Amino acid sequence: MPGEIKKDAGVFCVLPWTHMAVQPDGQVFPCCASFGTTGPVGDLRRQELKEIWNSPGMRQLRLNMLAGKPSPSCRDCYERERSGLFSPRQSANKDYGAHRMRADQTNPDGSLDSFRLAYLDIRFSNECNFRCRICGPWFSTSWYAESRKTAEWDERTRQKPFREVLRPSGDAESLWRQIEPHLDGLDEVYFAGGEPLIMKEHYRVVEALAERGLFHVRLRYSTNFSVTSLGGKDVLPLWAKFKDVLVAASLDGSGPRGEYLRKGQNWEQTLENRRRMMRTCPNARFMLSPTLCLFNALHLPDLQWDLLEQGLVEPEGWHMNMLLHPDEYRIQVLPGDFKAAVERKYREHTARLSRRWGARAEWPVRTFNDALNFMAAEDLSALLPRFREQTRRLDELRGESFRDTFPELAGLAAD
């Protein structure tokens, strides 16, 4: 075991002792936030999960954390924390703090004798029915044909997917045999994609948990919430059986704005899905999980307030993701006058939230304030021409208009 363990040195994260994140193409990272920061720690197309668990990358990461040494793969969390944002690292330590003692079992070379996953996160494919502006073919099959026309590929990796549909393993049954032994010891399963609710593997995992009576396992989703069934299987009655289900709906705007940002979205159908969820599994939690970017910087308060007024969300049901990639979509790209407008809007919105909801609004108020700190932390307005060019090209391809959809931002559009 390493000599001095520094579990509270600002770099420690419990995830390398409880978790690995598998991307749609089989690349394995210590967590989903580390994707695109450094290379993978393994590849399921050539290795099994058990082998990757003690790969050189995982062993070094554990040793770095135990020595209080920053790691390149964690740089997104460090940036968020420097801006005052609550990072995935901090969230993991909060949610999985009970597993910190596993770090005490680390061998001197950073390996672990026991392979036990408490938190399962496997992106079973990049299958998706949307073409979100902030995404690309790496996480959406719907993006593939369009990306070939624009010569644009996934901005996080700067790599070209080698085929339209990506899967982590060429042998689905082999992958299932690797996953199944961990089901009984899981605390949580995180489903993302692609779009998890159109993947048959998602239903296989949830049904297997239900058959074992493992209803205490937390189910977490990052979903566009456009569908709630697949092949005659309805997920809502399944959710009703579990004690803790959290659906984080990736909704970046309402009406035409939302449909522009999340291409493929039918806003009215999304609202109906939420109403049906409330009727069928009322104990399952629903959270708005927008990604804050340049496009929706001025609209997000309106989105939240509208759904609060309709009774479709609770004030606590809010998790705002800060877009870091692609760089030209960051809110830090906004010129000074637009940043001032965003600040005014957020100050007014948080004051209104506090008046209406009191202590229940503390979390969303904090996230809007954190967003203002992040926005002010850097001036990336030099990237505005790149934003304009990217937006113009996609607008032409899709027959859309940024200026008409976001009149409040029309001054950012190219002349």
Side-chain angles (χ1 to χ4, degrees):
M1 182 190 301
E4 183 182 2
I5 296 178
K6 300 180 179 179
K7 297 182 188 176
D8 299 303
V11 298
F12 179 83
C13 180
V14 72
L15 288 181
W17 286 267
T18 60
H19 169 71
M20 292 183 295
V22 180
Q23 297 301 312
D25 70 332
Q27 292 187 91
V28 181
F29 292 82
C31 73
C32 63
S34 65
F35 173 65
T37 57
T38 57
V41 294
D43 191 331
L44 268 186
R45 293 166 297 182
R46 294 185 288 272
Q47 302 164 283
E48 291 200 350
L49 287 170
K50 187 174 184 179
E51 179 184 354
I52 299 170
W53 183 244
N54 282 322
S55 63
M58 288 294 289
R59 288 188 282 112
Q60 187 59 55
L61 181 59
R62 293 183 189 118
L63 293 176
N64 286 351
M65 288 184 176
L66 294 180
K69 179 181 177 181
S71 297
S73 59
C74 302
R75 69 187 186 202
D76 277 5
C77 280
Y78 302 153
E79 180 178 359
R80 292 171 192 270
E81 291 168 19
R82 285 195 300 270
S83 299
L85 302 176
F86 194 66
S87 72
R89 181 188 77 86
Q90 293 168 321
S91 178
N93 287 342
K94 175 177 177 290
D95 292 341
Y96 303 102
H99 296 292
R100 279 176 172 246
M101 74 286 296
R102 294 192 185 185
D104 300 329
Q105 301 165 6
T106 309
N107 295 317
D109 65 351
S111 66
L112 293 169
D113 294 331
S114 177
F115 176 34
R116 295 175 294 153
L117 294 176
Y119 170 21
L120 188 67
D121 175 6
I122 295 180
R123 316 297 170 94
F124 291 105
S125 79
N126 64 334
E127 291 180 273
C128 187
N129 52 344
F130 279 14
R131 289 175 285 152
C132 301
R133 284 268 168 164
I134 60 176
C135 193
W138 208 264
F139 292 105
S140 171
T141 48
S142 297
W143 246 102
Y144 187 82
E146 191 169 73
S147 66
R148 292 180 66 85
K149 294 178 183 178
T150 62
E152 293 300 326
W153 302 90
D154 185 83
E155 289 289 338
R156 292 189 178 192
T157 62
R158 306 285 178 178
Q159 297 180 52
K160 296 182 179 182
F162 47 86
R163 59 187 184 277
E164 181 175 359
V165 180
L166 304 177
R167 298 193 184 281
S169 172
D171 185 348
E173 289 306 313
S174 173
L175 178 57
W176 176 250
R177 286 193 295 272
Q178 296 178 60
I179 294 171
E180 192 173 21
H182 295 275
L183 296 181
D184 290 328
L186 290 177
D187 292 344
E188 179 174 318
V189 185
Y190 176 56
F191 295 103
E195 170 47 48
L197 294 180
I198 67 171
M199 297 180 192
K200 61 183 183 299
E201 295 91 345
H202 152 259
Y203 287 87
R204 186 176 189 178
V205 171
V206 176
E207 289 174 338
L209 292 172
E211 289 169 1
R212 290 165 168 77
L214 300 174
F215 299 116
H216 67 281
V217 176
R218 299 189 297 269
L219 304 183
R220 299 288 183 266
Y221 291 83
S222 178
T223 169
N224 62 40
F225 206 57
S226 61
V227 298
T228 58
S229 62
L230 178 69
K233 296 181 179 180
D234 189 346
V235 75
L236 300 185
L238 271 173
W239 286 348
K241 298 178 181 181
F242 285 81
K243 295 180 180 179
D244 190 348
V245 177
L246 176 61
V247 178
S250 301
L251 308 178
D252 290 343
S254 59
R257 290 180 178 86
E259 292 171 351
Y260 178 98
L261 290 172
R262 299 278 179 179
K263 185 68 171 179
Q265 181 182 81
N266 180 318
W267 182 245
E268 291 304 319
Q269 182 62 56
T270 301
L271 297 181
E272 178 53 34
N273 291 344
R274 172 56 183 146
R275 296 185 186 104
R276 182 168 172 265
M277 178 182 169
M278 294 173 73
R279 296 191 299 268
T280 307
C281 45
N283 292 329
R285 291 179 291 152
F286 183 83
M287 174 182 290
L288 274 180
S289 184
T291 297
L292 175 61
C293 61
L294 185 155
F295 290 101
N296 60 7
L298 281 168
H299 177 60
L300 279 188
D302 299 329
L303 169 68
Q304 184 187 26
W305 190 260
D306 179 45
L307 294 187
L308 282 169
E309 289 289 278
Q310 293 187 55
L312 297 178
V313 296
E314 299 293 335
E316 303 91 343
W318 175 261
H319 179 75
M320 185 162 59
N321 302 291
M322 194 65 57
L323 181 134
L324 299 180
H325 312 283
D327 292 346
E328 63 268 24
Y329 291 162
R330 287 184 178 215
I331 59 171
Q332 294 163 329
V333 174
L334 289 167
D337 54 340
F338 281 91
K339 285 184 176 179
V342 170
E343 181 171 3
R344 288 193 299 272
K345 182 100 176 194
Y346 289 11
R347 299 298 184 202
E348 293 168 0
H349 180 61
T350 54
R352 182 168 60 164
L353 285 174
S354 295
R355 287 195 300 270
R356 176 72 176 274
W357 299 100
R360 296 183 65 192
E362 287 181 358
W363 174 249
V365 167
R366 172 180 171 175
T367 64
F368 278 105
N369 289 334
D370 287 348
L372 291 178
N373 292 334
F374 176 78
M375 183 176 67
E378 194 169 1
D379 178 9
L380 296 180
S381 56
L383 296 178
L384 192 56
R386 195 200 305 179
F387 162 77
R388 288 170 173 160
E389 177 60 16
Q390 294 282 67
T391 302
R392 181 192 63 79
R393 292 169 69 187
L394 268 185
D395 277 357
E396 288 180 357
L397 189 62
R398 296 179 175 183
E400 297 176 335
S401 171
F402 167 74
R403 188 190 299 270
D404 292 345
T405 307
F406 297 91
E408 68 275 19
L409 297 174
L412 298 179
D415 296 331

